[in-house]
Amino acid sequence: MEVFFQALVNGMLRSGLYALTSIGLALSVGVLKIVNFAHGEFLMLGAYLGVFLFVFFGVDPLLSLPLAALALFALGAAVYRCTIRHVLGAPEINQMLLTFGISVFIQNMALILWTGDPRAINCVYRSVTLHLGGVNAGMGRFITFTIAFLMIVVLYLVLTRTRTGKAMRAVSQSRDGAGLVGIRVQKVYLYTFGLSAALAGMAGVMLSMVLYAQPAVGLEFTLKAFCIVVMAGLGNIGGVIWASLLLGVAESLVGTYLPHGSGWSEGVFFILILAVLVFRSRGVGQWFAQ
Amino acid sequence: MVRPVRSVLVFGSLAAGFLALAPLAVDPYLLHILILVLMSAVMALSWDLLVRTGQLSLAHAGFFGLGAYASALSCNLLGASWWMSFIAAGMAGGAAALALGIITLRLHGMYFAIATLAFAEVLRTVTLQAKFTGGAVGVTLPAIFGGNRVEAYYLVAVIFVLCLAVSLGLQKSRWGLAFQAIRARQAVAEVIGIDTVKTKLAAFVISSVFPSLMGAFYIHYVTYIIPYEAFSLNTSVSALVMSVFGGIYTTAGPVIGAVVLKILEEYLKSAIVYGYTVIYGLILALVILFMPNGLLGVIRRAAGSGRADQILRWFGGRKRAGVSD
């Protein structure tokens, strides 16, 4: 039973990072209606930023968080302004190909510049373990979990209480309607994409604090974030929390109880995607019946 | 219509002559490059078959690896001969595409793209973890035709011609029109009586059999494969970038793209060992932004209504501007 609770806690702690990554993706998909395959690459860049700030300037990862958020906001806004903006009216396939191309470009650029060796922040949070009634939790993971959910609360407040946030929700409901009432849709898109990248960047810093930064790490997070967004339903920000918890706990349980489980747990997200899609496409039964 | 037909015949027989006689004229290294170029052309062209219905598949690497493993395991575990293992690979790819397609092709195109990307990644996880696949060590096979490169070349050339025929055949038939209708507006296609799900499913299955065959050919040709190489995302990336670069929704475009980019890639691989794929990402983003109809689109615009244009139009499908419809 103790093993079970430990697995449960591990899964929950893991889900914090997933939630923070997915919420950014849910935001950009929900408002811009564009699938951003480069989302995980923003996370990867944030992770490297955290590592470099720590290694060269000794900056504590918690202090790097706002810096990474600012840097990635600027990068996201620039990517939107220079590329995404020009395909808003193009066929969906062109939009997906564009973000996929950006993702491939950033990932391989990182591979050329920084090699494929994993790098990590070896700070104090890594080595401290908290003991809570027979269950252990790494300090770094605990901080990550807390900050992730704090950020989600902040985002919720931004979306419900500020003018910009309300404008984002209006645009996500109806682009034309929002334009008609005087909301500057282009500006909202720019802010949304920048904010989405900033959230991914913060998740990246925390990733390098609990795991490591590596060029290919973005793809894994893009896929898992998609899985969570698909589970939650497009544009459903609240659902992201439950979906993240589900993925994190499921991975942790598979990793604990299956032989060679840590390898198999990397496949859990695909089973979840398929399960959701089967559930969604109610026509599957009909197709067999024909 | 007479002149383009004659031009196509002349051009086609020249190309066929080149394909048939090339191994007699070039040295083994160039023949190896030619084999790689033909493989890329099959990958790019088969990827394009599905795109014609407006669906983005990121699973080409998955089918490539699936074909390689299905063929290698049917040889090693079941003692199949090489051609039987090719059939096994094609069937495995087709069956997997059918299953994945039934689940995802009913939904919005976005779900399909995500599910296909996940599919390729998960196949690698499974191959690394499962017992019978040899795990991270990979699989080995004896070289096909006793390592005779010329015979291997003819085998891949035959598959290439088959793929070319399928592509042209689909383009000129009712299927090609159905693909175009679905891509332009799915709801309208449904109204005029096209079974959109079945059409997309058929396109996906056909488009997935070819990369599986290429995977089977690759393992037989190179004799050795590991999961990280078999299911490498780069395989999907290069196939789709070659197609987009040449000009999607056409037959000539992906082939031209494969010839140009595969040769460029072989050169770049020696210059930048890791991360040469960066060039594919860059090309993909730039092409989508600045020339969404690819090289073929640029040539067509430049050629205006000249004769070259007619040939290209004949080779390249029914419409002049394919992407923006």
Side-chain angles (χ1 to χ4, degrees):
Chain A
M1 212 53 201
E2 214 160 84
V3 177
F4 176 75
F5 278 117
Q6 180 68 55
L8 209 62
V9 168
N10 287 349
M12 278 172 61
L13 291 180
R14 197 193 271 242
S15 71
L17 210 51
Y18 291 164
L20 192 54
T21 316
S22 320
I23 210 134
L25 189 70
L27 194 65
S28 69
V29 175
V31 177
L32 278 82
K33 318 282 184 229
I34 281 185
V35 184
N36 181 19
F37 283 104
H39 192 70
E41 267 55 53
F42 292 142
L43 173 135
M44 182 264 290
L45 290 177
Y48 271 103
L49 192 66
V51 169
F52 290 140
L53 282 173
F54 181 76
V55 171
F56 294 126
F57 304 105
V59 181
D60 188 287
L62 293 182
L63 289 178
S64 318
L65 277 176
L67 295 175
L70 277 179
L72 268 296
F73 183 90
L75 181 73
V79 166
Y80 171 77
R81 184 66 189 74
C82 300
T83 62
I84 311 279
R85 190 185 156 163
H86 303 285
V87 296
L88 286 175
E92 190 196 20
I93 190 151
N94 291 26
Q95 299 169 344
M96 291 197 284
L97 284 169
L98 177 70
T99 62
F100 189 64
I102 294 170
S103 151
V104 170
F105 177 75
I106 297 179
Q107 186 185 336
N108 285 283
M109 213 54 197
L111 190 60
I112 292 173
L113 291 176
W114 306 319
T115 74
D117 303 333
R119 296 165 198 240
I121 301 178
N122 287 311
C123 59
V124 64
Y125 308 120
R126 223 174 239 281
S127 44
V128 179
T129 310
L130 304 174
H131 305 277
L132 303 159
V135 175
N136 301 319
M139 179 87 164
R141 288 188 181 275
F142 187 73
I143 293 175
T144 304
F145 180 80
T146 315
I147 290 181
F149 280 89
L150 220 61
M151 287 315 300
I152 290 169
V153 172
V154 170
L155 183 72
Y156 177 78
L157 291 177
V158 166
L159 286 177
T160 49
R161 302 287 154 84
T162 65
R163 279 183 79 86
T164 314
K166 285 177 184 168
M168 285 174 184
R169 281 162 60 217
V171 172
S172 93
Q173 280 175 13
S174 164
R175 181 188 164 170
D176 296 340
L180 280 175
V181 297
I183 293 169
R184 290 201 206 150
V185 175
Q186 281 297 333
K187 213 161 106 186
V188 170
Y189 278 173
L190 186 90
Y191 288 158
T192 308
F193 205 76
L195 186 57
S196 159
L199 288 167
M202 284 196 282
V205 172
M206 288 191 282
L207 175 72
S208 61
M209 189 168 90
V210 294
L211 286 168
Y212 51 82
Q214 209 244 331
V217 85
L219 177 67
E220 180 196 329
F221 273 87
T222 306
L223 284 171
K224 287 183 180 172
F226 275 142
C227 166
I228 288 164
V229 171
V230 167
M231 271 199 279
L234 289 187
N236 180 356
I237 303 245
V240 165
I241 296 175
W242 300 112
S244 306
L245 279 171
L246 183 61
L247 178 65
V249 170
E251 280 185 344
S252 174
L253 288 178
V254 166
T256 308
Y257 287 106
L258 243 64
H260 307 289
S262 57
W264 286 116
S265 71
E266 290 308 303
V268 168
F269 78 95
F270 183 64
I271 305 296
L272 286 176
I273 289 184
L274 284 189
V276 174
L277 293 188
V278 168
F279 181 67
R280 286 251 167 110
S281 66
R282 274 157 299 186
V284 175
Q286 280 173 20
W287 205 88
F288 279 113
Q290 273 176 10
Chain B
M1 286 302 276
V2 176
R3 283 164 70 101
V5 170
R6 203 169 57 202
S7 311
V8 164
L9 280 179
V10 170
F11 182 76
S13 42
L14 276 178
F18 174 76
L19 271 182
L21 299 176
L24 307 175
V26 300
D27 66 70
Y29 175 69
L30 275 181
L31 191 60
H32 173 67
I33 299 291
L34 210 54
I35 289 175
L36 293 183
V37 167
L38 284 181
M39 282 183 64
S40 301
V42 173
M43 295 295 285
L45 193 53
S46 59
W47 183 81
D48 191 71
L49 294 180
L50 179 68
V51 163
R52 291 174 196 174
T53 65
Q55 299 292 314
L56 171 63
S57 164
L58 298 171
H60 244 47
F63 291 113
F64 182 86
L66 186 66
Y69 270 92
S71 139
L73 295 177
S74 62
C75 284
N76 286 346
L77 302 180
L78 309 172
S81 59
W82 72 263
W83 60 270
M84 281 157 72
S85 82
F86 271 60
I87 292 174
M91 281 169 58
L98 191 67
L100 190 61
I102 285 177
I103 295 173
T104 52
L105 280 173
R106 239 168 224 292
L107 301 156
H108 194 255
M110 176 167 88
Y111 295 108
F112 178 73
I114 293 166
T116 51
L117 182 60
F119 170 74
E121 291 298 305
V122 159
L123 274 183
R124 182 178 60 214
T125 306
V126 171
T127 315
L128 280 168
Q129 290 288 314
K131 290 276 182 291
F132 63 97
T133 56
V137 182
V139 280
T140 51
L141 272 183
I144 193 167
F145 307 130
N148 186 331
R149 207 170 258 186
V150 175
E151 286 180 40
Y153 167 83
Y154 281 119
L155 176 59
V156 75
V158 165
I159 298 177
F160 169 69
V161 171
L162 188 69
C163 187
L164 205 63
V166 167
S167 169
L168 284 171
L170 282 177
Q171 222 158 29
K172 303 293 172 210
S173 69
R174 291 163 61 91
W175 285 92
L177 292 173
F179 288 0
Q180 230 174 56
I182 294 172
R183 171 171 98 228
R185 195 150 297 219
Q186 185 163 333
V188 175
E190 262 161 28
V191 168
I192 59 176
I194 296 167
D195 188 335
T196 54
V197 176
K198 270 187 189 163
T199 311
K200 286 192 282 187
L201 203 52
F204 187 38
V205 170
I206 297 170
S207 137
S208 306
V209 166
F210 283 103
S212 307
L213 290 178
M214 282 299 102
F217 174 79
Y218 184 81
I219 173 90
H220 274 94
Y221 178 61
V222 182
T223 72
Y224 173 72
I225 207 161
I226 55 169
Y228 282 107
E229 193 192 356
F231 300 102
S232 164
L233 183 64
N234 290 352
T235 310
S236 300
V237 172
S238 62
L240 74 90
V241 177
M242 283 164 183
S243 186
V244 172
F245 178 69
I248 45 178
Y249 314 144
T250 67
T251 298
V255 177
I256 296 172
V259 172
V260 175
L261 290 185
K262 191 67 196 181
I263 291 170
L264 180 71
E265 182 192 308
E266 284 303 306
Y267 170 74
L268 278 178
K269 257 186 190 166
S270 50
I272 323 169
V273 180
Y274 295 106
Y276 64 87
T277 317
V278 75
I279 202 75
Y280 281 121
L282 191 64
I283 290 176
L284 182 55
L286 291 179
V287 168
I288 291 293
L289 286 174
F290 296 109
M291 43 182 241
N293 291 318
L295 269 187
L296 223 54
V298 173
I299 295 173
R300 275 181 199 158
R301 222 180 307 148
S305 57
R307 200 164 150 198
D309 183 49
Q310 280 182 317
I311 297 173
L312 283 169
R313 198 183 316 156
W314 232 86
F315 249 69
R318 290 162 197 279
K319 289 194 64 183
R320 286 164 64 86
V323 172
S324 47
D325 55 18

